[in-house]
């Protein structure tokens, strides 16, 4: 668990700086995929799924 959280932080930081510098390349795609993969295996996955479901439900009500 500790390794997963640190990898989420690492990939999130790399992705933040790549997006901030407008460097959209294969490296940014790899960082985004790694961030999503490791984020899905943390405790944050449940609330993120609930948030996405709530947003989709709200958009359907419009």
């Amino acid at each position: 668990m500790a390794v997963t959280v640190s990898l989420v932080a690492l990939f999130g930081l790399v992705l933040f700086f790549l997006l901030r510098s407008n460097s959209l390349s294969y490296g940014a795609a790899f960082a985004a995929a790694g961030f999503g993969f490791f984020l899905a295996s943390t405790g944050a996955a449940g609330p993120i799924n609930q948030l996405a479901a709530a947003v989709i439900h709200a958009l359907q009500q419009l």
Side-chain angles (χ1 to χ4, degrees):
M1 180 70 163
V3 173
T4 301
V5 173
S6 63
L7 286 174
V8 167
L10 175 68
F11 277 113
L13 189 64
V14 168
L15 183 61
F16 172 77
F17 284 116
L18 286 173
L19 292 175
R20 185 172 164 94
S21 68
N22 292 329
S23 175
L24 300 176
S25 63
Y26 293 115
F30 176 75
F35 178 70
F37 178 77
F38 287 110
L39 184 64
S41 63
T42 65
I48 290 171
N49 287 336
Q50 292 173 353
L51 176 65
V55 168
I56 291 170
H57 181 69
L59 289 176
Q60 289 175 348
Q61 299 300 320
L62 291 178

